[in-house]
Amino acid sequence: MRFSNSLAGLALASTLLAASAEAREMNLAFTPPLNSHYGDAGKAFAARMEELSGGDITINLKPAGALGGERDVLEGLQIGSIELTITSTGPVGNFVPSVYALDFPFLFEDYEHARSVLDGEIGQELLAQFESHDMVGLAWAENGFRHITNSVHPIETPEDLSGLKLRTMENQVHIAAFQAAGASPTPMSWTEVLTSLQQGTIDGQENPIPVLTANNIWEIQKYLTLSGHVYSPAVVVMSKIHWDGLSEEEQGWMREAAKAAAEAARATVSANEEAGVELLRENGMEVVTDVDKAAFAAAVQPAYEQFAEQYGAELIERIRDAK
Ligand code: EAX
């Protein structure tokens, strides 16, 4: 009797050991709240991974900057302290320089143009470049076209930007663009923006509609200008250290789950863009809709002169031609 018990015990122990060796947890970090386009993307990633791995890999979502700003999180991926993120390309150019080509103002015509470029040759070429920077670019998700908010006065012309303390992402092209337009750009991580706006150390910021609504921006900003001055891609990225620890099959699961995340982000952005402007208006924001985009494009043009050569003039031309 004793012998068979110990054999059963041994079998159970080895099964549990095998199971625990299999069962893994990974963090997926992002800066918007859970109730946002990135949150929908994260949930889609986690659900798909649950399905594909049969529960062996659990994705823990870390929303609202829980693991730091986008730049911090990318550094975390490089050293392996964080496994996954969904991030805007804002700070990515500081790690993967060629990605800066995506961040130029008034480069993308509309969502269709942006999505087809990112899902096509150009987008795939750029994803492949993450690997030489200790990261793996899994898929292009979406942040959306960026618009300007501020608490001083309605911005109707580029001249209205003059002297405004405008937060930008930690992105050289965006800083140069708003400098050229006469604003005084202040780069900072999203995790500091709401407090800085509340304290008045900055007058405004710029972000896509889903980021504005997810953060109830109407509570601290009065004016919204639908400038659409930059298309802001988001990207699903994995730490290369953790990627290299996966089997080929598991790596395929990561790509599948990232695709599901990308689709979910785009679906939420498409659904919320218009409704989001209404929500901002209903909550008291004054919305400038009739924006002279040509005038804004001319005002930020010096950013091209300053950076296009360095960050891929040829790539920028290819993107323009892909309209
Ligand atoms: O990625 O930092 C920003 O303004 C980003 O748009 C935001 O964190 C979502």
Side-chain angles (χ1 to χ4, degrees):
M1 197 44 180
R2 236 198 337 271
F3 177 73
S4 59
N5 274 350
S6 61
L7 202 61
L10 203 64
L12 179 64
S14 55
T15 320
L16 285 177
L17 203 64
S20 66
E22 273 309 306
R24 275 153 296 169
E25 301 210 13
M26 296 188 180
N27 287 332
L28 192 160
F30 47 91
T31 52
L34 191 58
N35 178 21
S36 69
H37 50 335
Y38 285 26
D40 291 349
K43 288 174 206 160
F45 188 103
R48 192 80 181 97
M49 184 51 72
E50 166 79 17
E51 227 175 275
L52 290 164
S53 71
D56 285 347
I57 300 179
T58 302
I59 304 295
N60 297 321
L61 301 186
K62 298 292 177 187
L67 298 187
E70 294 186 333
R71 188 185 183 115
D72 309 330
V73 168
L74 289 166
E75 285 162 0
L77 261 58
Q78 288 186 314
I79 61 171
S81 60
I82 302 174
E83 291 89 353
L84 291 150
T85 190
I86 298 171
T87 177
S88 75
T89 52
V92 172
N94 302 302
F95 299 83
V96 188
S98 43
V99 169
Y100 259 124
L102 300 175
D103 292 330
F104 280 76
F106 299 104
L107 173 62
F108 290 99
E109 188 80 9
D110 52 29
Y111 281 105
E112 196 191 341
H113 175 213
R115 293 171 183 175
S116 66
V117 164
L118 292 173
D119 292 347
E121 214 175 69
I122 293 172
Q124 300 318 302
E125 279 169 29
L126 289 172
L127 285 180
Q129 302 205 9
F130 281 73
E131 293 227 13
S132 46
H133 301 277
D134 304 316
M135 296 182 276
V136 179
L138 294 172
W140 291 107
E142 185 163 82
N143 196 10
F145 277 93
R146 302 180 77 90
H147 306 291
I148 306 168
T149 68
N150 86 95
S151 53
V152 179
H153 56 219
I155 295 171
E156 295 176 343
T157 66
E159 292 68 33
D160 294 332
L161 285 168
S162 170
L164 276 186
K165 294 192 294 284
L166 211 57
R167 176 267 177 175
T168 68
M169 297 192 285
E170 294 153 293
N171 180 299
Q172 290 180 350
V173 173
H174 294 183
I175 295 165
F178 281 106
Q179 222 143 29
S184 78
T186 313
M188 69 172 78
S189 152
W190 173 257
T191 50
E192 298 161 47
V193 173
L194 298 177
T195 318
S196 303
L197 287 170
Q198 268 150 356
Q199 290 169 349
T201 44
I202 49 174
D203 301 319
Q205 63 84 52
E206 42 84 55
N207 245 296
I209 298 299
V211 173
L212 306 183
T213 52
N215 288 285
N216 297 355
I217 207 80
W218 57 78
E219 292 170 354
I220 43 180
Q221 294 276 264
K222 174 80 185 131
Y223 305 102
L224 165 65
T225 295
L226 297 182
S227 49
H229 53 280
V230 158
Y231 170 77
S232 183
V235 56
V236 187
V237 195
M238 184 166 194
S239 162
K240 182 120 180 18
I241 294 172
H242 291 279
W243 173 264
D244 290 343
L246 299 176
S247 67
E248 231 170 270
E249 185 188 29
E250 291 164 339
Q251 290 176 349
W253 296 346
M254 286 294 166
R255 290 198 190 282
E256 271 299 308
K259 232 167 95 232
E263 284 157 14
R266 290 178 177 173
T268 301
V269 171
S270 300
N272 287 8
E273 186 89 1
E274 260 171 61
V277 175
E278 260 330 290
L279 181 67
L280 295 164
R281 197 181 265 120
E282 278 159 20
N283 281 286
M285 290 194 83
E286 203 179 296
V287 183
V288 175
T289 51
D290 181 14
V291 178
D292 180 349
K293 295 201 177 184
F296 277 91
V300 299
Q301 181 57 27
Y304 277 84
E305 269 95 67
Q306 193 177 349
F307 286 111
E309 216 33 61
Q310 184 179 353
Y311 291 127
E314 181 257 338
L315 202 47
I316 289 169
E317 274 325 298
R318 281 173 62 195
I319 291 170
R320 279 198 198 291
D321 295 346
K323 269 179 201 152

